[in-house]
Amino acid sequence: MNMRKFKMNKFISLNRYFFIPIALILFFLSFYLIYGDIKNNTINDFNKEQLLLAETASQGITYFFDDYQSELEFLAKFKEIIDFSDESKALMANYYETHKSIVTAITRIDKSGVIQYTYPYNQSAIGRDISYQNHIQQILVNQKPVLSDVFMSAQGFLAIALHVPVFKNKSFVGSLAVLIPIDELGKLYLGKIKNRKNGHAWLLSENGVEIYCPVSGHTGKSILEITEHEASTLEMLEKIKNNKTGTGKITHKEGYEEVKTKELDLFYAFYRIPLGNTYWTILISYQKTDIYIALSRLRNRLIFVFSLLFIALSFYFYSLTKVRNLLREETKRKEAEKTLLKSEEKFRKIFDDHAAVKLLIDPNTCKIIDANKSAANYYGWSCDDLKKMQVGQLDLNSSEEIKRRIEGVLFENKDQFESKHQLKDGLVRDVEILCSKIKIDHQDVLHLIIHDISKRKTAEQLLQEKTDKIELQNKKYQKVNEALNQTNRELIKAKEKAEESDRIKTAFLHNISHEIRTPMNAIVGFSGLLNTPDLQAEDSQHYTDLIIQSSDQLLSIINDIVSVASIEAGEEKVQEKEVNINFICKQIKEQFGSADSNPDVSFGLQTGLADEASCVVSDSIKLTQILTNLVDNALKFTPKGFVNFGYTRKDELLEFYVEDSGIGIPADMHNEIFKRFRQVELTSARSYGGSGLGLAISKTYVEMLGGSIGLSSEVGKGSVFTFTLPYKRVNSEATAKLPSMT
């Protein structure tokens, strides 16, 4: 019995130890699965972190080139830059001095690709033909802004060039460019990125050249050359070519003990930056050890916990879950901090540089916390002065009303209202205020966007007065109709017609005010510039030409309005006399076929009668006006192609025509465009200018001369306007000769 009991106890003891390795195996299996999951999540979270860093840097680089392109395009419109006068050198020098922290040269290139001038002055570079460079060939052919790949500049250093075209009367005359050392942008936007212990950020061009790399000797070289065309590098470049963003792994060789080399497995995240004609790529790489440092500590901790949890397994799972939650919360906190930082930086840039007037207000004290540049320009006070003021010093409402509005924004979500604001010079302006509540440094702040609506208020008042008059007139019509029984249907029709007329005339008033303001602004603006001390004679002549041109445009608009008024008053009469229609046509041909006309549009004339047979009895002024209006419209609405006009004789009629290959007219507008105040587009933001009266005047004149007018048109394929006039040949043996056109 004792032997049997001993054997039984030994068997139970052996079985107990037998379960220990099973338990260990199960634990290690669970540990491996959990650890693997944590490792994958950590890598994914780390990749997201790198992509956020890359995206933030990408936005900075995009803003950088957008700003510089806008500045260069603005500079390229200066007459001195276009004509490359001596004053252009001073302009280029001033631009360089204000941007030399990152720009190393500004260069003017002619239309054949030869350097005309560069600042800082470099005699060896001036006159050099650089048309062989790829980016120069692109801008010579496409005549659009171009960002180059890395190249050796004529000044003797590796650089990136940003070119914008220079035009003179729509003709390409060269380009204006700035040179930026290839590593400056990287240092500015990537140099501050600290990516764990061994990681770093670098910048690739579209062709794989390392524009910036913190590793010595890499900048300016092809990544394929550096990695000796390693397969993972080719795979990475293909992935970048086909995707905007992503992650991956690359094998990279680095120097080791100055002789040997070692292969490193680098994880990377990339973000592609679109830059007009090309793209760059931000890559942020890091070694496996950078990710696994925290994981190694976690692993050691879990092994230590394992020895304890072997006794109390439940405590182990609790600790593991807690660690995972802590890691997740830490990741979320970091992402939230980066998102907040990114959002605040973006808001600050938008706030400071926005064209709209913007203020930040403390809702508790009504004090102005901040003001942007547009606010300073609008109110007349500097930004610092505005930040010392209360909003009540600008707003003419009572303090109680201002507080009531603030409470409406804070508690009732009322975000739009109108007010009157006083400027520094005492002028009071009507404004519309868009207000929203935001948080800055965990404090509620009111964000105000202010629009000047004084002109709109004046226009609304005039429109209301016009509406009141129309309503009074409608009431009179209604009383007459009620007295005459001429029915409800006719009354509705008359009302709708009046409302339609009012709508059309209102749209016309908006459009005509825009058309008048444009030349008037030019006349007033350039007239003021004529008083500038020490004004150069060349500039004075240029301003005078612009004033004359704007005056002619304004006079044309006024003539159209006077003609319509005369027609409506019944004061237009036909003044028939001997007219040479060939002479009129050729005058119009020379008028619109001048040297500054559109070179992309051919302009032709075909007369149907010989000079001696082209003398007829008609009104020369009205005939000239009809043809001028039709030809002017055809050229205006034909950006490219042809415009032809002329006439033929058909029995006792002369049929005139004006045809073009322009934008065309929709079928539902064929009759409408001959009505007064009607155009294909009815807003002042139309693609093409004009009063909308030309065709109505032409139709009236044609009918007064005994003819008719019509058109055939299709959108996108052009238009043909035709009109007929009686052929009244001069009854005289001595036919007038065609006057000289010299």
Side-chain angles (χ1 to χ4, degrees), residues 333-362:
R333 184 186 66 78
K334 290 182 178 179
E335 289 181 352
E337 289 179 352
K338 290 174 182 175
T339 301
L340 179 61
L341 178 61
K342 176 182 174 184
S343 177
E344 289 181 352
E345 290 177 349
K346 185 176 182 180
F347 173 79
R348 171 54 57 189
K349 181 172 180 61
I350 293 174
F351 179 84
D352 289 338
D353 299 335
H354 204 283
V357 176
K358 290 193 172 190
L359 298 175
L360 296 181
I361 306 297
D362 185 339

Side-chain angles (χ1 to χ4, degrees), residues 234-416:
L234 295 172
E235 181 181 350
M236 180 188 72
L237 292 178
E238 186 66 22
K239 185 181 296 185
I240 291 174
K241 180 179 178 182
N242 297 320
N243 299 278
K244 180 179 178 181
T245 183
T247 59
K249 182 177 170 184
I250 185 175
T251 300
H252 190 61
K253 292 184 178 180
E254 286 193 355
Y256 181 68
E257 295 180 354
E258 299 182 355
V259 178
K260 301 178 182 178
T261 60
K262 64 175 181 179
E263 290 189 350
L264 297 177
D265 288 336
L266 299 178
F267 291 93
Y268 67 86
F270 71 88
Y271 191 92
R272 200 172 67 192
I273 315 171
L275 296 172
N277 59 294
T278 185
Y279 66 82
W280 290 354
T281 306
I282 295 176
L283 293 104
I284 301 181
S285 64
Y286 46 92
Q287 294 183 18
K288 186 186 299 183
T289 56
D290 293 330
I291 303 176
Y292 293 163
I293 290 175
L295 290 175
S296 297
R297 294 173 182 171
L298 175 63
R299 179 194 60 202
N300 295 335
R301 187 180 302 171
L302 290 176
I303 292 174
F304 172 75
V305 172
F306 165 73
S307 63
L308 298 176
L309 287 186
F310 193 70
I311 301 171
L313 195 60
S314 59
F315 181 74
Y316 158 74
F317 287 107
Y318 169 78
S319 298
L320 182 61
T321 303
K322 186 175 181 180
V323 170
R324 293 186 64 184
N325 289 337
L326 287 174
L327 288 175
R328 288 177 179 173
E329 290 300 322
E330 180 66 11
T331 302
K332 290 180 181 179
R333 184 186 66 78
K334 290 182 178 179
E335 289 181 352
E337 289 179 352
K338 290 174 182 175
T339 301
L340 179 61
L341 178 61
K342 176 182 174 184
S343 177
E344 289 181 352
E345 290 177 349
K346 185 176 182 180
F347 173 79
R348 171 54 57 189
K349 181 172 180 61
I350 293 174
F351 179 84
D352 289 338
D353 299 335
H354 204 283
V357 176
K358 290 193 172 190
L359 298 175
L360 296 181
I361 306 297
D362 185 339
N364 298 317
T365 64
C366 296
K367 186 178 182 301
I368 299 175
I369 299 174
D370 204 352
N372 68 352
K373 299 174 185 176
S374 297
N377 293 333
Y378 180 72
Y379 288 108
W381 284 285
S382 67
C383 292
D384 291 336
D385 289 337
L386 286 171
K387 286 188 281 188
K388 299 174 183 177
M389 298 169 63
Q390 300 282 335
V391 71
Q393 295 175 257
L394 303 178
D395 199 308
L396 297 185
N397 284 293
S398 64
S399 57
E400 291 77 12
E401 175 63 17
I402 293 174
K403 290 181 179 178
R404 187 186 65 79
R405 289 181 172 181
I406 290 176
E407 291 175 355
V409 175
L410 293 176
F411 307 113
E412 301 176 18
N413 294 324
K414 295 181 179 179
D415 59 355
Q416 183 173 355

